Amino acid sequence: MKMKKTVIALCLGASLFAVLPATSFAEVNIVPQNTSAAPAIPASALQQIVWTPVAPSQTQTAQLSTVGQTLNVPGITGKVAAWSVPANVGELTLTLTSVADKQRSVFAPNILVLDQNLSPAAYFPSSYFEYKEPGAISEDRLEGVIKLTPALGQQKIYVLAFTTPQDMQQTTTMTNPAKAYAKGVGNAVPDIADPVARHTADGTLKLKVSTNSASSILVGPLFGSSGAASVTVGNTAAPAQAYSASAPAQAAPAPAQVNAPAPAPAPKAEPVLNDTEAYFNKAIKQAVASGDVDKALKLLNEAERLGSTSARSVFISSVKGKG
């Protein structure tokens, strides 16, 4: 999945669209303000959700199998994650990460951003979130960066993550761990197959919130706009009270679970791919043969981290001169 992440300053108010240059949308493949493609969620259902607060400079992790919430709405499959973000601290940058697990599966996220009155303001479908290769301290993942500019007068905006029946029918091709390792250490990249991750109805999501000085998507009304819809969304005082913004506070024990969910038993890792195991075994033999035992040990550790059952015996026999 690849989608450009450049999100130009867009606003909900039609009057602001009029002053944007005609070239503003040239490099944008998704128009987040067009929420018509998002599932229609009744206001009553949104008000039943417990929204977990996320402060700037904080990363919130949600393991959907244990802390995900159910939203029985057509177009949404499985559990959802719901966060509230401060809207009175200036522009925001949200980084949403969906971590792939060792069973070669991943949750394909969709993000619906709602303003203080729980009115849909922006929609980012699963195609917005790119596959990212694993690094030294990161895993295979789908990831996207969202930039938002909350309108003046709001206290909170809301972020809802979910997947769809269409997403469940698709897959994500990941990078073979041996290829990622070879790239990382500067070795020749082996010509071996890449694993394919199926999309699942639950997974592990991480939301990082940080403040940003550049303008981006305006969430909420453009004050002074003559459009009736913008004026309605802009009435942030009375509607906010009608929504019962205290609901998340009353359900405080539930958000606490998102901060520190009870650890679930680790799933049994699948055996490493044959091509991957063969790659590491060969590299270990070559490293030992060239006298670079340190490199061979690093290869051994990496291979066993990926689930290899033969790398250690190959290393030992190579060191003993039997490789």
Side-chain angles (χ1 to χ4, degrees):
M1 296 181 180
K2 291 187 176 180
M3 187 63 62
K4 296 181 179 178
K5 292 298 182 296
T6 303
V7 181
I8 302 173
L10 304 174
C11 289
L12 295 177
S15 61
L16 188 55
F17 286 142
V19 302
L20 289 173
T23 58
S24 295
F25 301 95
E27 297 299 320
V28 178
N29 295 315
I30 290 178
V31 180
Q33 284 77 10
N34 181 10
T35 60
S36 60
I41 307 175
S44 58
L46 291 171
Q47 292 171 6
Q48 295 299 317
I49 292 176
V50 177
W51 302 89
T52 301
V54 186
S57 302
Q58 181 182 7
T59 299
Q60 188 75 255
T61 300
Q63 191 170 3
L64 295 180
S65 61
T66 56
V67 301
Q69 303 179 62
T70 300
L71 192 58
N72 293 319
V73 173
I76 294 179
T77 296
K79 300 295 184 69
V80 305
W83 300 280
S84 64
V85 179
N88 55 358
V89 292
E91 290 79 12
L92 298 169
T93 296
L94 311 182
T95 302
L96 191 282
T97 302
S98 177
V99 181
D101 63 22
K102 298 300 181 182
Q103 308 303 313
R104 302 188 187 96
S105 64
V106 66
F107 181 89
N110 296 249
I111 291 293
L112 182 63
V113 179
L114 306 108
D115 67 12
Q116 176 164 298
N117 301 323
L118 290 179
S119 296
Y123 175 53
F124 298 85
S126 60
S127 57
Y128 183 82
F129 299 90
E130 288 184 326
Y131 167 71
K132 300 289 185 180
E133 294 181 355
I137 58 174
S138 59
E139 305 117 313
D140 292 280
R141 62 204 185 277
L142 300 177
E143 190 169 88
V145 176
I146 298 171
K147 296 187 177 183
L148 305 172
T149 301
L152 295 176
Q154 298 187 104
Q155 297 301 311
K156 294 180 180 180
I157 58 176
Y158 300 91
V159 180
L160 183 69
F162 57 89
T163 197
T164 69
Q166 292 77 17
D167 293 321
M168 293 287 291
Q169 302 302 314
Q170 300 176 8
T171 58
T172 294
T173 300
M174 303 191 297
T175 299
N176 190 292
K179 289 183 178 179
Y181 180 83
K183 291 179 182 178
V185 298
N187 291 345
V189 178
D191 184 15
I192 53 181
D194 290 318
V196 176
R198 61 188 177 87
H199 291 177
T200 56
D202 58 51
T204 300
L205 298 179
K206 296 181 180 180
L207 180 68
K208 178 181 179 181
V209 178
S210 57
T211 55
N212 180 51
S213 59
S215 62
S216 49
I217 297 172
L218 182 66
V219 179
L222 177 66
F223 289 101
S225 170
S226 59
S230 295
V231 172
T232 301
V233 175
N235 187 5
T236 59
Q241 294 179 353
Y243 154 57
S244 298
S246 61
Q250 293 174 358
Q257 295 179 11
V258 180
N259 287 327
K268 184 178 180 180
E270 292 186 2
V272 67
L273 294 176
N274 290 337
D275 287 345
T276 303
E277 191 152 29
Y279 167 80
F280 278 102
N281 289 346
K282 180 179 179 181
I284 289 170
K285 292 178 181 180
Q286 291 175 342
V288 173
S290 64
D292 194 344
V293 178
D294 287 341
K295 180 178 179 180
L297 282 170
K298 291 179 181 178
L299 288 163
L300 168 62
N301 291 334
E302 180 67 16
E304 290 189 332
R305 185 183 70 82
L306 296 172
S308 173
T309 58
S310 63
R312 182 167 294 274
S313 61
V314 168
F315 172 80
I316 293 173
S317 62
S318 297
V319 171
K320 291 181 177 180
K322 299 180 180 179

